[in-house]
Amino acid sequence: MDDLTASPASEVPFRISFSGHGGHLRLDPTPSPPSPVPDFVLPPAYPPESPSSVKEYLEDNYLNPELYIPTAANDARVWDVDWFDLARPPLEPSAPRTMLVPAWEPPFRRRPSTSAEEPQVWDPKSVQMEMSQVFDSGTGGMVPRMPGPAKDFVRGRVNSRPFRPGGLQDDAAEAAALEKAFPESARNGDWVRELMSGGPALIAPPGFPKGIDLGQLKEYNSHWKCFRDGEQVEEQPASSSNDTMDKYSVQFDDLFKISWEEDDVNIVSREDDGEHLARDEGTNDINEQKVDKLQDGSETLARDKHEVNVIGDASEAQMDLDKMLSSEVQDTRRETSGLGDDKPAQEGKDWALVVGDDGIVTNFHKLVPDMAIEYPFELDKFQKEAIYYLEKGESVFVAAHTSAGKTVVAEYAFALATKHCTRAVYTAPIKTISNQKYRDFCWKFDVGLLTGDVSIRPEATCLIMTTEILRSMLYRGADIIRDIEWVIFDEVHYVNDAERGVVWEEVIIMLPKHINIVLLSATVPNTVEFADWIGRTKQKKIRVTATNKRPVPLEHCLFYSGEVYKVCEKDMFLTQGFREAKDAFKMKNSNKFGAKPGTKSGTPAVRSGTQGRNPDTSSKGRDQKHSKHHHTNSGAAAIQQSTSGPRRSDLIWMPLINNLLKKSLVPVVIFCFSKNRCDRSAESMFAADLTSTSDKSKIRVFCDKAFSRLKGSDRNLPQVVGIQSLLRRGIGVHHAGLLPIVKEVVEMLFCRGVIKVLFSTETFAMGVNAPARTVVFDTLRKFDGKEHRKLLPGEYIQMAGRAGRRGLDTIGTVIMMCRDEIPEESDLKNLIVGKPTRLESQFRLTYTMILHLLRVEELKVEDMLKRSFAEFHAQKDLPQKEKLLLQMLRQPTKTIECIKGEPSIEEYYDMFLEAEEHREFVTEAIMQLPTTQQFLAPGRLLVVKSKTDDDHFLGVIVKNPSSALKQYVVLVLTGDSTSSALDPNLSNQNEKGTGVSQQGYLVIPPKGKRGMEEDFFSSGRTRKSSGVINIKLPYTGDASRMGFEVRAVETKEIISICTSKIKIDQVGLLEDISKTSYTKTVQMLIKEQSDGKYPPALDPIKDLKMKEMDKVERYYAHVNLLEQMSKNKCHGCVKLKEHKLLMKEQKVYKDQLDQLKYQMSDEALQQMPQFQGRIDVLKEIHYIDSDLVVQLKGRVSCEMNSGEELITTECLFENQLKDLEPEEAVAIMSAFVFQQRNASEPSLTPKLADAKKRLYDTAIRLGQLQKRHEVPVDPEEYARDNLKFGLVEVVYEWAKGTPFADICELTDVSEGLIVRTIVRLDETCREFRNAASIMGNSALFKKMEIASNAIKRDIVFAASLYVTGI
């Protein structure tokens, strides 16, 4: 074969070929030497498709998840690979901007068919809508906004709108949203009528160009059963005309609309097996009671589930039948069918449902076969109940004693969130609890920690944070809220805290609808009430499970004179043990002091001025002197032998400790309600050594590791050195004055069991989960910041609950120290077995809350006030008040028919009421006059009101008020003996005759002034009255054909004091009961009442000497009104009395109606007046404008959470920090966060002194502004409470780099409080930095960065041992 000539293509350095099944062109370099293979290679054929290949392709590409490991090549971005993050959706998910929705048209607006033969076919059009418009509804859910940037995912930002709170009902918004999604024609029965009567079916779904023609729908024959007065009268076809059906009270459209809105069209009477097990007889009883309650409103309401009874000709009692049907008919079916867990809508719904069925416990593993987390121990009853309802997705309130195992419920909520790929949040009131829970949970779950100064893994599935952080996230609309399924509130009883309790209520109210709630609390008496408030606020059921059983029973004892007396066991008070302690006290004091018989039980015979005094008050003056606190805390410090405190404490504590060691009752926690008391007690045990060699080694190694993170100078702090000396001997101290790292070392060593005796304040019981064998109370009184008071039962139970270690002890011991006295038995019994403190609302308005809520259109401040726990009962009664208001509005009002043709009774009655007001004022003044009492003596004639207040009777004073009877005894004429009243025209004639003259002025003395006992007028008797009343009041009879009555009269019942007096026989009237005396008295009264007129009344000015100008003016105003009344047409009318009664009824009716409307309005809210005042304050200082729109200053104020928001914001906008260096600025800012009231006066530089004065003047000005707008604020107190300058010098030196040991020498404030203040100050710097960013103040922004870096160093910002581990 001849050689092939080279192809022209071979001379090209590349060749073109096809590749792949898609036939893509590919450039390849030309091979060398040239290949004889043709340059163009045909592509292979497509492989044959089969069902298995298609399935494999779909599974590989769409169904098998793969972790996407990012690289630097992707968008030039570099990620830190985190397997937890890679398993979740990205933080910035994309969402569609628009969607297609059908545009519904009412039947009468649809395009008619072109010919009669063609059926009318409705082809709905589809329109494109923005997603924000679709989600913008008032029915709850997310606020219509897209997710924000990733950096604000956790914390949110001020400009973001909060999510709509769950349970918020806005009728207007709901109606608008429902109309947008489903027009009226869709929500009434029009289209259902077409289905029932036959008609065209829809063809094309929304967004589809074509559809399927199903032809005409078949008519469904049905009838309505019509009832009148509970009896069936006729049947009407479903296709009857509206004219036929309009005469009935209930229409088809009404019922259909009810079913549509209630989502109850297809209710199925069934329930899952768990509900059958959880239902008990009590629930059935409640359901029956609810059904009975609904049936009481309308006895004609039918119960048949397949018939709708149309009722006509309703009686007056059934006028509200339509309202009952619209709100209650569906719920009657729901309750009777057993669907107690469906969405409730009836007014009387119980939102708190107490769990107490043994079926859940017995069948727990069947009901929850696949638990989210397994426990190696058997769960308690309340734990199983809580877990069962958590699995059902319901909110739970768990109330149990300390150490009962409530944390198990929180753990299970975390496990469910992990299982469901959602998030859970655990909130605690104290930072120590947050740190400890982080350590406990981080080994089981993907946990993050968020506090004021620490942020660890904020993107984790399970987040632990303080309640204030969660509140900030809710107000700032953090996008992470979308993912949260559970929020766990620990230590809910902390809601009683006066300062921070409001945070719990704010968070509960602000939580969105999709978040479930888990509440953990100690036992409180009103658990159900609090849960009912939460359920009603969030419109969801709260399952309440509680237990009073302690895992380790407690015994309570008194320790006196070296002996222990048991006074309570198994919650039963032992009187015998108390008596033994009291007898020992009496015996010791009788021998020592020679007590006299009759000495009060429980108090020493010789002890003056010290009973009930706090043990620390004896040395209060000495301790409050300016002394260096670190010397007090130092365990190595010399014991001051000159004072009797340590010696006396040693004598007290060592006998007790020896007793406990002998009985193996250690470790022991001794609660002392004073930091100084804790320190002195620990120092007093300088000779005690309670640890073994092994324990000493463990303590030394642990302390060396813990304190090794401190630099050299900090390790030698007196407190650090002193606490190690105490710890090595098995003695610990725990209170707020300790350094944070020192407290954590004490807590961890106590949990390891090497500390035998721990002196602590009550914060140890709240913030640390560290039970002991024994708990000792140094005293049963405490200082709460305002006064020394007795311990409350709730406080005692919380601290005593630390006694008894579950699994280690069979019984926990609680001992109360008795030094100088034995508590009273009643006080002791109430303390030990009494009821704990109720949960009370501490809700109050703050400017930050108002400004945050004003940014949200959907949630008003009034809505927040209504939903607070303080307004719970008032809001709970609103449905009943609304029903009562409707009933009152339906009541027919009686019309007044005037016989003179021109009704003027309204004008007359108004003048009468005004005259009565003037008269009451003047008579109040008259009774204060010294001349009045001399006229109110026995024998003086009076005109008094009848019992029905519609008539006036003439009477005479028989006896003045005395110590036995605080009223006047008066004999009055009641009319003819055959009738119950005088001539009906008598009082009218009297009014007419006296209305035009001053002599007819009516005097009603008030309660305050009484006439003293005076000599009475006697008629034919020489025996003086003894003051005894031998008749039973009221005493009635008749004499001279005239009825009379002797009765006790209040001063307000006296109409006038007459000028006339008569002689009476007091002995015959009251003691001997002489008929002759009564006859003579009645005859004299009849004589004084001649011509049908009463005797003239005393003149207030001439006779009673009333001279004050304002009172005289009111008197003449009253006289002028009487003159005007006498000229009115109604004066003297024969029907005046009847018409006045009708007007009185109408006024009472109108007042009740107005009062009911007021109670249902926002004006009735308790804090509404204060809210109006605060709004006026914000307007005046330009935080909001006249339209309540938040301005720049308001936005900046929303950033301020550390200090008082108004003072800090004004400080920024007045640029008070401009001339200060960063160290000086952060020093003056310490006044916002420092909390101790009494501290030594700092020594300030002139620059700092000027800054202090400017800041204080600003606070005074703001206080005066608030006071001017009626906000309950005292300017001086406002400035003192919100600005405390005790640590300005300390912070200034710290920011300059001074060692911590040196700054402690500058003040008497404890080291722990110094650290806490500086840590909070760092958060304040961050807030000021954010505010400067909003204001555009770059200089302030940079200054705050420098100041924050200056204070963040050394021991103050040492990492928590709970977080970093050891």
Side-chain angles (χ1 to χ4, degrees), residues 521-539:
S521 170
T523 53
V524 289
N526 60 334
T527 303
V528 176
E529 178 190 15
F530 192 77
D532 193 23
W533 164 68
I534 297 176
R536 194 170 298 275
T537 301
K538 310 310 295 180
Q539 291 292 296

Side-chain angles (χ1 to χ4, degrees), residues 380-387 398-400 404-406 409 545-547:
D380 292 339
K381 179 176 181 292
F382 78 94
Q383 294 170 339
K384 291 181 177 180
E385 293 171 343
I387 288 175
V398 180
K406 299 187 292 292
V409 183
T545 175
T547 177

Side-chain angles (χ1 to χ4, degrees), residues 143 145 155-163 471-478 510 847-861 1183-1184 1187-1192 1194-1199 1334:
V143 172
R145 62 176 175 83
R155 297 277 186 168
R157 54 180 176 173
V158 176
N159 296 334
S160 299
R161 298 174 63 188
F163 294 99
R471 177 182 64 172
S472 176
M473 291 167 56
L474 290 169
Y475 276 137
R476 296 162 67 95
M510 289 294 296
Y847 290 104
T848 301
M849 182 194 306
I850 294 174
L851 291 170
H852 275 299
L853 295 177
L854 288 179
R855 298 188 303 109
V856 188
E857 297 179 0
E858 293 88 349
L859 182 64
K860 300 185 296 183
V861 182
Y1183 284 53
I1184 57 177
D1187 297 326
L1188 303 184
V1189 178
V1190 178
Q1191 304 300 301
L1192 177 61
R1195 291 175 54 199
V1196 171
S1197 182
C1198 290
E1199 289 283 348
I1334 296 174

Side-chain angles (χ1 to χ4, degrees), residues 673 762 781-790 795:
F673 302 104
E762 61 182 317
R781 297 178 64 85
K782 63 174 285 189
F783 182 72
D784 60 359
K786 298 180 181 178
E787 61 179 355
H788 287 280
R789 59 168 175 81
K790 298 177 182 177
E795 296 170 337

Side-chain angles (χ1 to χ4, degrees), residues 1256-1296:
Y1256 191 82
D1257 292 342
T1258 300
I1260 292 293
R1261 175 174 56 83
L1262 290 172
Q1264 293 171 346
L1265 174 64
Q1266 295 177 78
K1267 185 178 181 181
R1268 189 163 65 249
H1269 288 286
E1270 300 182 355
V1271 178
V1273 166
D1274 178 72
E1276 292 290 340
E1277 186 177 352
Y1278 173 77
R1280 286 195 307 269
D1281 290 345
N1282 294 293
L1283 293 176
K1284 301 180 179 67
F1285 298 94
L1287 287 185
V1288 173
E1289 181 186 8
V1290 170
V1291 176
Y1292 177 66
E1293 293 296 333
W1294 176 255
K1296 289 172 60 178

